[in-house]
Amino acid sequence: MKTKKPLLAALGLSLLLGVQPLMAQEQPHVFRGAKIIPVAGQPIENGVLVVQNGKITAVGTADKVKSPKNAVEFDVTGKVLMPGLVDTHSHLGEGSGGDGSGALHPDVRIVDAINPLSDTFMRALAGGITTVNVMPGSGHLMSGQTVYLKMREARTISDMAFCDDVTNGICGGIKMANGTNPMKAAPFPGTRAKSAAMARQLFLDAQAYNNKIKAAKGKADKMPERKPNLEPLVEVLNGKRVVHFHTHRYDDVLTALRLQKEFGFKLVLHHVSEAWKAADEIAKAGVSASIITLDSPGGKSEAVEVSNANGAALEKAGVLTAFHTDDGITDSRLFLRSAALGVRAGMSQEKAIEALTIAGAKMMELDSRVGSLEKGKDADFVVLSGEPFSVYTKVEQTWVEGKKRFDLHNPDDKKFATGGYNTFSGEIHYHAH
C-alpha cells in the first residue's frame, strides 16, 4: 500500500505510520485503486473509499469520487477491499459463563468476565474480523448474556462495546443451548424433554414478572421486587434482546423453533449442524441461522451429520444465513475460509460474502452501522491481497473506525497471523460444568 501526499512524502513513511491513529480522526483518508466489494451493491473495479472521523464519507468509482482537500491517499491497486467481517458467535477475551449451581443463568453477563487486554482479540483482527458477538459458554440451557464488541483499541470493556452503558444497558443477546451440552447430572436436565421443560418454565416465570411490571404502570410502590434473573428475559419477551440458540440436531432445531413460536422472541439459531435437514422449517419460522463449517472430522456425536452444504441449503430456502467461528472451535484467523468451504459445497459467492458481513450484522441488529461499505456507516474494512475465497489470499490490513488495527507487514502484528511459540497467552474458552 502506497501513500501519496507531498507533505507526508517529505516527512517519510515512518512518520506517517507514527501519526496515523490521530490523522484517522482528523484527516480524510482515501483508498484508491482496489476492487471494492461494498456488499450493498455490485463490486466496484478501480474503486475509491473515503473515510473520516471513523465513518465512511464516500464509496464509488474513480471517476465519481474525488479526494477531499488535505486527504491522505493510499494506493491499494491490485488489492480487494471489503467490509470488516462480522462474527456472530465467538469466545474471545478469556471470559466464562454460568457455573455448576444450575442450568439456567440469564443474569450472568459475559461482559463481567472479559479481559479487554486479551491478545486473543488479535486473532480476530488478523482474520479481518471487526465485530464479534462474544458468548458465555454453552454448557447450560441458558449460560447468560452475550456482548457485541467492536475491535477497537481498548483499556476497558466499555471501549469495545457497542452499547453506551455496560452496567445498565442492553449490550448483547441471551445465549441458550439444547442437545447434549446442558444434559448432565442434577440440577441440570438429564433428557431433551426436561431441557425444554426447564427453559419453558423460566420463560413462564418471566411472563408473570413482566405482567406485574406492566400492571404497576410505573408506580414505584406497585412494582414487584426486582428479580435480576428474570429482567433480561423480560427484555427478550419485549423484543429488546435477541436469543442466540446453540443447537445441532434436527430434532433440537425443531424444539428451539417451538419455544420461539410459543414465546415470540427474536431467534438466531447457531451451529445448526443439520440445517440441510431443517432448512424449510427454519424458513417457515422466519428466523435466521448462524452456521459453522468444518474442514476436519471429529467433535460431538450430535454434530456427526454436519455438512458444509448447510449454507447452500439455507440459501435455497431463503433463510438469512451467517457464518461464525465459535473461536476457538474454528480459528478467527481462518474466518474467510469458512465461507469458502460453503461456496465449495454449493453456496453462491454473493450470499457467502453477505454471510460474513451484513447477514451477521442484521442478526445482532447492528446493520445500520456495520456489515457493508456505505456512506455514513462505520469505517470498518479489510484490505485483502486477492479475491476473498482464494486459498492464496491473505488479510493484509484490518481497519476499525478509520484506524489501522492490523498490518501484516508490521512484524508485531504479523506474529498474530502466523502464530509461533508463545504468541498467544490468552486461554481458549471452555464449557464450565
Side-chain angles (χ1 to χ4, degrees):
M1 180 183 292
K2 300 177 182 178
T3 59
K4 295 186 292 184
K5 187 85 168 58
L7 176 60
L8 293 173
L11 292 175
L13 182 59
S14 61
L15 180 57
L16 168 63
L17 295 175
V19 299
Q20 179 267 318
L22 176 62
M23 294 190 315
Q25 297 301 310
E26 295 183 351
Q27 284 186 276
H29 280 32
V30 178
F31 297 81
R32 187 179 298 277
K35 175 183 177 179
I36 296 179
I37 304 175
V39 175
Q42 293 299 310
I44 304 167
E45 300 292 344
N46 189 26
V48 180
L49 178 75
V50 184
V51 305
Q52 186 175 17
N53 296 322
K55 297 290 184 179
I56 297 169
T57 59
V59 59
T61 56
D63 60 330
K64 292 183 178 180
V65 178
K66 306 303 180 184
S67 294
K69 185 178 180 181
N70 298 323
V72 182
E73 294 219 4
F74 295 83
D75 182 359
V76 285
T77 302
K79 310 298 182 183
V80 173
L81 199 152
M82 67 179 294
L85 309 186
V86 179
D87 188 354
T88 50
H89 187 133
S90 181
H91 295 278
L92 298 173
E94 306 169 54
S96 55
D99 61 15
S101 63
L104 297 151
H105 292 277
D107 49 338
V108 167
R109 310 186 315 162
I110 191 64
V111 74
D112 293 322
I114 292 176
N115 175 11
L117 303 181
S118 172
D119 56 21
T120 62
F121 291 116
M122 286 303 298
R123 282 207 302 274
L125 289 165
I129 297 170
T130 55
T131 295
V132 291
N133 180 16
V134 179
M135 303 274 203
S138 303
H140 299 75
L141 289 174
M142 194 175 291
S143 53
Q145 300 166 40
T146 80
V147 64
Y148 305 151
L149 298 180
K150 178 73 74 73
M151 298 293 97
R152 307 181 189 100
E153 187 174 4
R155 297 293 302 175
T156 70
I157 196 66
S158 296
D159 296 332
M160 302 180 74
F162 273 86
C163 64
D164 295 326
D165 184 354
V166 296
T167 301
N168 300 302
I170 299 175
C171 298
I174 279 281
K175 174 70 177 299
M176 291 186 66
N178 62 11
T180 60
N181 273 28
M183 289 197 302
K184 36 190 172 280
F188 288 77
T191 67
R192 282 177 159 80
K194 183 62 174 178
S195 296
M198 291 173 67
R200 179 175 291 109
Q201 184 58 59
L202 190 62
F203 274 111
L204 290 172
D205 293 344
Q207 281 184 333
Y209 181 62
N210 192 27
N211 289 338
K212 291 179 181 178
I213 293 173
K214 291 178 178 178
K217 297 181 179 180
K219 297 178 181 178
D221 61 333
K222 301 291 185 181
M223 287 288 287
E225 179 183 353
R226 281 196 63 187
K227 294 187 180 295
N229 67 316
L230 297 180
E231 287 174 351
L233 294 184
V234 167
E235 294 165 348
V236 167
L237 293 171
N238 290 335
K240 297 179 180 180
R241 190 184 288 274
V242 177
V243 173
H244 298 279
F245 209 122
H246 160 123
T247 189
H248 285 279
R249 268 178 23 181
Y250 175 73
D251 51 344
D252 291 328
V253 172
L254 297 186
T255 298
L257 294 178
R258 280 193 297 273
L259 287 170
Q260 184 275 333
K261 183 177 181 179
E262 182 175 355
F263 295 102
F265 51 74
K266 296 176 182 177
L267 174 64
V268 179
L269 299 169
H270 284 255
H271 308 322
V272 210
S273 292
E274 297 185 7
W276 59 274
K277 294 182 182 180
D280 290 340
E281 288 85 354
I282 295 169
K284 184 178 180 181
V287 305
S288 53
S290 173
I291 61 175
I292 191 168
T293 57
L294 302 174
D295 58 3
S296 59
K300 60 187 67 179
S301 61
E302 65 183 343
V304 69
E305 293 194 73
V306 64
S307 172
N308 286 343
N310 280 334
L314 291 166
E315 177 183 354
K316 182 179 179 180
V319 176
L320 179 67
T321 306
F323 289 103
H324 65 256
T325 66
D326 199 9
D327 191 304
I329 302 302
T330 299
D331 196 308
S332 292
R333 295 172 294 182
L334 305 177
F335 194 30
L336 282 168
R337 187 173 69 173
S338 294
L341 291 169
V343 171
R344 183 178 182 181
M347 194 175 192
S348 71
Q349 291 199 31
E350 178 185 1
K351 288 300 181 181
I353 290 288
E354 290 181 8
L356 292 169
T357 55
I358 193 65
K362 289 178 179 178
M363 291 175 191
M364 292 187 277
E365 302 182 328
L366 300 174
D367 50 302
S368 65
R369 291 186 55 182
V370 301
S372 61
L373 300 179
E374 300 178 74
K375 182 178 180 180
K377 284 196 171 185
D378 294 357
D380 300 348
F381 57 93
V382 186
V383 179
L384 304 174
S385 62
E387 292 295 329
F389 300 142
S390 169
V391 69
Y392 302 107
T393 292
K394 299 183 186 306
V395 174
E396 293 196 353
Q397 295 186 0
T398 304
W399 293 69
V400 178
E401 296 180 353
K403 292 186 178 182
K404 185 161 57 176
R405 294 284 289 124
F406 171 82
D407 188 341
L408 187 62
H409 302 292
N410 179 338
D412 290 337
D413 290 352
K414 184 177 181 180
K415 66 181 181 181
F416 291 107
T418 58
Y421 176 71
N422 206 31
T423 296
F424 294 101
S425 59
E427 66 181 30
I428 299 296
H429 96 284
Y430 64 97
H431 294 152
H433 290 172

